[in-house]
Amino acid sequence: MSEDLEKIEQRRKQWEETTLQKPLKRFSQTESPAKFCTPADLKDFDFLEKVGFPGEYPFTAGNYAFLPGALAPKLGGEPPGLGRSGWYSGYGTAEDSRDYYIKAQAAGPNVAFDLPTQCGYDSDNPLIMGEVGKVGVAVDTLRDFEVIFEAFTGDKDLDRISSNFTINAPANIYIAMYLALADKRGIPYNKLRSTPQNDILKEYVARGTYIFPPRPAVNRMFRDSLVFLAQNCPGINITSIGGYHIREAGCTREQDLAFSMAIGIVYLQTGIDAGLDIDSFAPQVTFNAFGGSVEFFQEIAFHRASRRMWARILRERFGAKDPKSMMIRSFSTVHTGPSNTTAQRPLNNVTRGVIAAIAAACASGTPIVFPPYDEPLGLGWSLEAQQLQRDSVLIMLLEAKLNQVVDPFAGSYFMESSTDEIEEAAQKELDKIEAMGGAVAAIENGYMYREVARAAHERQKRVESRQDLVVGVT
């Protein structure tokens, strides 16, 4: 094999000195703008170790043997449901949001709280005047919570739907409200399905809706919810880790992966320190999503690397034995990312969304056109944009039949080498964070925040200097 690789490398050198030189000279270039990979880029490649089979460790090829979307053409319509909640939504008062859910016939609430609620303020606090109900619903009391859920009764009662809550710093309070509502309706906790975001550490790095210092926020607030949910509520996820928010704030693809892994390690170690067995709670640790872009091949490689990296951390560092503990559970894989959409020529965002959704299918995920094309025009998507988004997904599943091949780039010299490169870069960054004492220490000393700010600045400079081109903008 080594002799074969030597022959390939020699032949490549010959190719670079002859065939490649012709187009380089013609277009006045010194190096090729396109990459070409050979077996020499995959030295010591072990398929079973690096890729494996879909649904099996190390999950590089995908979490599942196949996705429900593969059944859509056979069933002649929507793929079978997985109990997902509705679209992220909520605004104004509890009554406003309740009426919206009723009108929209929502499958379940995916509640957006306003910023005062996320930061622990009551709506009558003069400090937050003018912000109440603006980017989500204001919830001050259990009664507000009950009003929202008046839209979900009967065949949509708490034990028949999935309920998600984008809340972090005061997550314990709103989990308690959800459980109190279940008590009032006579629904046992083990019948509930829900995902509170409950990812406080990314708030210090990206979003900013934190209340307490990071260490007590993790060691008391997060730990208490983790232990209670693990012991009493098997259908309620403990957290939904949000690398998505960190990349939207400006970090690089590799930082997104490293920072997410570092934060996940803190949460897992918190459960271990509380006396829990890793397999008793790790399956309830989910990921909201990672960041996104329309860099087709790199995003596919990113998600393959993320699954392998997380699986190895769980098995090798924490000694997990249950395969469910080792899986990155997320509603999406590749997506455009709202920060990559443009207000200029907004219909171009349809193309961006579809490219990313095709990449999602190639990354062993369900294609999701996210966000709808009018995302940059203001809060709230038009019905037209939502319909186009849904139809685009159905075209990809029913007509293009994208989910009928799992991990189609498995074994590709380019894809496997790119997956390795992203994982190695992320691991190097993760090792740096671990050397500081982990994610909490890297937040306390300002490292993560500074790195995100630096990366965001560099990205904006590339756009303004037209080094990175954006159609319709530069």
Side-chain angles (χ1 to χ4, degrees):
M1 180 63 73
S2 61
E3 292 181 0
D4 291 339
L5 292 180
E6 287 179 7
K7 289 180 180 179
I8 291 172
E9 289 177 337
Q10 290 173 1
R11 183 67 183 84
R12 182 187 184 96
K13 185 177 180 181
Q14 180 183 349
W15 172 79
E16 290 173 343
E17 293 174 348
T18 56
T19 304
L20 179 59
Q21 292 304 312
K22 296 176 183 178
L24 290 179
K25 184 177 180 180
R26 179 183 178 187
F27 294 104
S28 303
Q29 299 296 308
T30 58
E31 60 181 26
S32 175
K35 190 173 183 179
F36 178 75
C37 294
T38 72
D41 293 290
L42 283 180
K43 295 176 182 177
D44 303 320
F45 177 71
D46 185 323
F47 178 83
L48 293 178
E49 177 189 351
K50 289 290 189 74
V51 182
F53 289 88
E56 295 182 357
Y57 183 88
F59 301 101
T60 311
N63 284 339
Y64 308 104
F66 65 86
L67 290 167
L71 297 171
K74 182 177 180 180
L75 298 176
E78 298 270 9
L82 296 176
R84 305 299 190 201
S85 64
W87 277 111
Y88 182 51
S89 53
Y91 71 98
T93 65
E95 290 79 7
D96 292 328
S97 289
R98 173 201 62 196
D99 294 346
Y100 168 79
Y101 288 132
I102 292 173
K103 182 178 180 180
Q105 299 181 345
N110 189 348
V111 183
F113 295 94
D114 68 359
L115 291 177
T117 300
Q118 292 185 50
C119 291
Y121 290 102
D122 287 332
S123 295
D124 60 357
N125 191 313
L127 289 175
I128 45 84
M129 187 178 299
E131 293 295 328
V132 176
K134 274 198 169 179
V135 297
V137 58
V139 178
D140 299 315
T141 65
L142 175 59
R143 179 57 189 157
D144 291 331
F145 204 88
E146 292 171 346
V147 168
I148 292 173
F149 276 85
E150 287 173 358
F152 302 100
T153 58
D155 63 354
K156 289 186 177 180
D157 212 336
L158 300 186
D159 56 343
R160 308 291 296 276
I161 61 174
S162 179
S163 304
N164 293 353
F165 310 105
T166 297
I167 198 76
N168 295 281
N172 288 12
I173 307 303
Y174 293 90
I175 294 171
M177 289 184 182
Y178 179 56
L179 298 177
L181 179 61
D183 287 337
K184 285 193 170 188
R185 294 190 180 183
I187 297 172
Y189 295 168
N190 62 4
K191 299 293 183 182
L192 299 174
R193 289 183 300 165
S194 175
T195 302
Q197 194 166 104
N198 201 22
D199 174 17
I200 187 57
L201 289 182
K202 65 95 172 46
E203 297 298 320
Y204 304 97
V205 182
R207 291 187 71 244
T209 63
Y210 53 86
I211 300 173
F212 310 105
R215 208 165 288 272
V218 171
N219 293 341
R220 289 301 306 275
M221 295 290 284
F222 179 81
R223 182 201 64 189
D224 289 353
S225 61
L226 184 156
V227 173
F228 184 88
L229 294 175
Q231 294 178 341
N232 299 281
C233 307
I236 301 181
N237 293 316
I238 293 165
T239 180
S240 185
I241 300 169
Y244 159 84
H245 303 91
I246 300 175
R247 182 130 57 122
E248 284 292 294
C251 79
T252 67
R253 184 180 292 108
E254 292 75 17
Q255 287 172 332
D256 178 1
L257 182 51
F259 291 2
S260 297
M261 295 296 108
I263 287 171
I265 287 169
V266 170
Y267 294 157
L268 294 174
Q269 190 60 51
T270 299
I272 298 297
D273 293 344
L276 300 179
D277 177 81
I278 186 67
D279 288 322
S280 72
F281 70 93
Q284 290 170 263
V285 173
T286 70
F287 285 73
N288 176 31
F290 292 101
S293 77
V294 291
E295 293 186 47
F296 188 85
F297 297 111
Q298 291 304 309
E299 291 299 332
I300 296 170
F302 172 92
H303 284 276
R304 299 176 85 249
S306 70
R307 290 192 292 263
R308 186 165 70 198
M309 196 170 179
W310 183 248
R312 285 178 173 169
I313 288 170
L314 266 294
R315 189 162 86 166
E316 296 176 8
R317 177 166 180 162
F318 290 97
K321 297 179 176 60
D322 185 349
K324 292 182 179 178
S325 298
M326 307 174 200
M327 293 165 52
I328 285 183
R329 294 170 53 230
S330 175
F331 85 96
S332 73
T333 51
V334 185
H335 58 89
T336 313
S339 62
N340 294 298
T341 60
T342 65
Q344 300 91 334
R345 301 183 191 172
L347 284 175
N348 285 347
N349 298 326
V350 176
T351 303
R352 294 183 177 104
V354 169
I355 290 172
I358 294 172
C362 293
S364 300
T366 298
I368 297 176
V369 180
F370 175 81
Y373 76 82
D374 55 4
E375 164 77 12
L377 301 183
L379 289 174
W381 302 316
S382 67
L383 292 177
E384 177 191 40
Q386 293 182 56
Q387 184 68 51
L388 188 58
Q389 175 192 50
R390 178 178 175 274
D391 288 350
S392 298
V393 171
L394 290 176
I395 289 169
M396 283 182 268
L397 293 177
L398 300 176
E399 299 182 28
K401 301 175 182 173
L402 288 184
N403 270 165
Q404 293 195 344
V405 178
V406 182
D407 196 20
F409 286 103
S412 156
Y413 304 133
F414 167 70
M415 186 55 67
E416 298 300 351
S417 61
S418 296
T419 301
D420 288 348
E421 288 170 5
I422 289 174
E423 183 180 11
E424 289 168 7
Q427 186 64 54
K428 183 178 179 180
E429 181 67 22
L430 176 60
D431 290 343
K432 184 187 296 185
I433 293 170
E434 290 295 288
M436 295 177 191
V440 174
I443 289 169
E444 290 175 330
N445 67 20
Y447 173 76
M448 282 190 176
Y449 182 83
R450 288 194 304 272
E451 284 299 295
V452 171
R454 181 189 59 78
H457 177 63
E458 291 298 322
R459 177 186 177 185
Q460 187 61 29
K461 282 201 305 183
R462 291 196 304 273
V463 171
E464 292 181 2
S465 65
R466 302 184 79 246
Q467 182 178 345
D468 288 353
L469 298 176
V470 181
V471 175
V473 179
T474 60

